Amino acid sequence: MTTAKRTPAQRRLRALLASSALASGAAWGALGVSLADDAGARAALTAHGGVGGESLPAVLMALAALPLGSLIGAPALDFVSHACGRRPAVLAASALAALGCLVAAVDGPLLRAAGIGVVGLGMGGYTVVIPKLAHELAEHGHRRLMPRVRAVSPAGAGAAALIGALGALLSPGQGVVRAWVVPQLAAMVSLLLALSLPETPHWYAAQGRIEAAYAALRRMVGDLEAAVGIDWVMMDTGTLGEQHPIGRGDLAIARVRRTVVAGLLLEVVQALPLGLAALCLGPALLTEAAGGGGPTAVPLGVVAALAAAWVAVALLGTRRHGEHFAYAWVLAGIGASACGITLLALADTVHGVGLTALLVGVDALLVACQFLAVAPACTGSIDPLVPPWLLRSQRRATAALRPLVQLAAVLAPALLLALVPAPAAAGIVLSCQVLTVVIAVAALPWALEALR
């Protein structure tokens, strides 16, 4: 379904998709501000195998809370979306995220980790439900929208970092609280926008409520498009009604097996540039390089420059087409991130302004490699090839695999920074990057051939 001009409901839908991505990115950014504000966390992340690693368990607990919460929230809110509707699931995800931000701002490792975990529950709901909304309410379907939606995340992280720095400057000791306000506001905006949208026609049709499905479609696309689109909704709902879990018989089909392997590879490849680790660990490393003393130790201009770089990555990501030259984008992103890791080897040879500039430049490069180059090229690529009866299984698998990949992507760098000397840590990461480039060169052409 296409329209010459977007309706107000379609514009609100796109705003909802953007605000959910902003909330997700801002949660990671606020987590980074929390670590930067904690002297023990900064000491643990820069111990490099020496003294100062006593706070490492608390750091790992905070970093793991968000993806683990997402891992639990995704199946729970997926069930809600099928039993009660897509809109109630989004409302629940937004409410959980907003509530979790209140607790995450509390001083104390256990309470903070619990709050971050509740935020993760909401983020998991967004991961599994937002693609359904984009597919079932958007006139162009979610394959085109979702890569651009995910690219918005660094802007949320940049806003959280900047607001946290401003809060610490204007109200000493309140930087973390101000940072967590950003994802909370984004989640509340998502909640209000979800209230302004109808339930999806697909869910109504699946419940046998055809008149309600047609009314929802009219609200989204207008009378003329709804008259044509209701037939597509009924056909699509019919195929969705034949869902069953993926089994051994499905994997015996070569095309299904190849698509599953391609989806697994592409999901893992998205984390290789370490852009997510740069969002949540970068502020702490930057603060420690500036001499410690909390967020106010880093000049506001430096934080603003880093936040501006993240926002620029997000803006560029929303304007590019992820399906064009996917293989080239993946290789370029992984290769450029390897160059950035190589530059970190110079950290011991520069000090002061030079070290700060190096850390900001590498951080921005890693974020750009993941969210501008690699992630848009991988997001949603296999969806058109998934058999209709396995679509729900594929979405569930993605929602489960993504937080596991995120967990490894943030914990592994944190452990290396804390336990391994800096040159050895850079060497290990660089070796892994080179190995992944080799694997990408060897395996991705075979996997991406399934996407043609």
Side-chain angles (χ1 to χ4, degrees), residues 10 21 58 132 202 256 334 336 358 387 441:
Q10 288 170 343
K132 296 179 186 178
H202 294 67
V256 173
I334 297 174
L358 175 65
V441 170

Side-chain angles (χ1 to χ4, degrees), residues 165-441:
L166 284 171
L169 185 64
L170 300 176
S171 303
Q174 296 298 307
V176 173
V177 176
R178 300 293 188 269
W180 281 106
V181 167
V182 178
Q184 184 181 46
L185 288 177
M188 292 175 66
V189 169
S190 298
L191 188 147
L192 295 176
L193 288 169
L195 286 173
S196 71
L197 292 172
E199 183 54 73
T200 69
H202 294 67
W203 188 82
Y204 279 133
Q207 309 302 311
R209 301 169 59 181
I210 309 304
E211 291 184 0
Y214 180 66
L217 201 58
R218 286 180 59 192
R219 283 184 61 184
M220 289 303 302
V221 298
D223 294 340
L224 180 61
E225 294 289 340
V228 178
I230 191 62
D231 294 331
W232 173 76
V233 169
M234 297 303 298
M235 180 179 65
D236 200 29
T237 303
T239 59
L240 291 177
E242 301 173 355
Q243 300 293 301
H244 68 76
I246 189 169
R248 187 176 300 177
D250 298 306
L251 293 176
I253 304 173
R255 183 177 179 85
V256 173
R257 185 169 61 251
R258 192 168 191 154
T259 302
V260 169
V261 174
L264 176 64
L265 279 173
L266 292 175
E267 198 64 44
V268 172
V269 160
Q270 293 182 52
L272 295 180
L274 299 179
L276 190 62
L279 290 179
C280 59
L281 300 179
L285 299 179
L286 196 60
T287 301
E288 194 65 16
T296 54
V298 183
L300 183 61
V302 174
V303 179
L306 182 61
W310 290 351
V311 172
V313 168
L315 292 176
L316 291 173
T318 59
R319 294 180 177 274
R320 89 170 196 80
H321 299 279
E323 67 272 16
H324 295 166
F325 308 107
Y327 184 48
W329 277 107
V330 169
L331 289 184
I334 297 174
S337 66
C339 294
I341 298 299
T342 304
L343 290 175
L344 287 180
L346 302 175
D348 289 337
T349 64
V350 292
H351 304 281
V353 177
L355 179 59
T356 299
L358 175 65
L359 292 176
V360 170
V362 171
D363 189 293
L365 177 62
L366 297 181
V367 171
C369 288
Q370 177 164 341
F371 291 96
L372 179 58
V374 179
C378 299
T379 302
S381 295
I382 66 167
D383 292 342
L385 298 174
V386 177
W389 65 89
L390 296 178
L391 185 58
R392 187 179 182 188
S393 294
Q394 182 263 338
R395 287 174 175 167
R396 284 179 168 179
T398 299
L401 181 60
R402 186 166 298 162
L404 292 176
V405 172
Q406 290 175 345
L407 186 66
V410 296
L411 290 187
L415 287 170
L416 285 174
L417 288 170
L419 303 177
V420 180
I428 292 173
V429 174
L430 181 59
S431 299
C432 293
Q433 291 280 358
V434 172
L435 179 61
T436 54
V437 170
V438 173
I439 294 174
V441 170

Side-chain angles (χ1 to χ4, degrees), residues 7 13-14 19 39 49 58 78 110 113 160 196 201 213 225 250 279 301 373 399 408 431:
T7 64
L13 170 64
R14 288 169 181 257
S19 63
D78 179 59
L110 291 179
S196 71
E225 294 289 340
D250 298 306
L279 290 179
S431 299

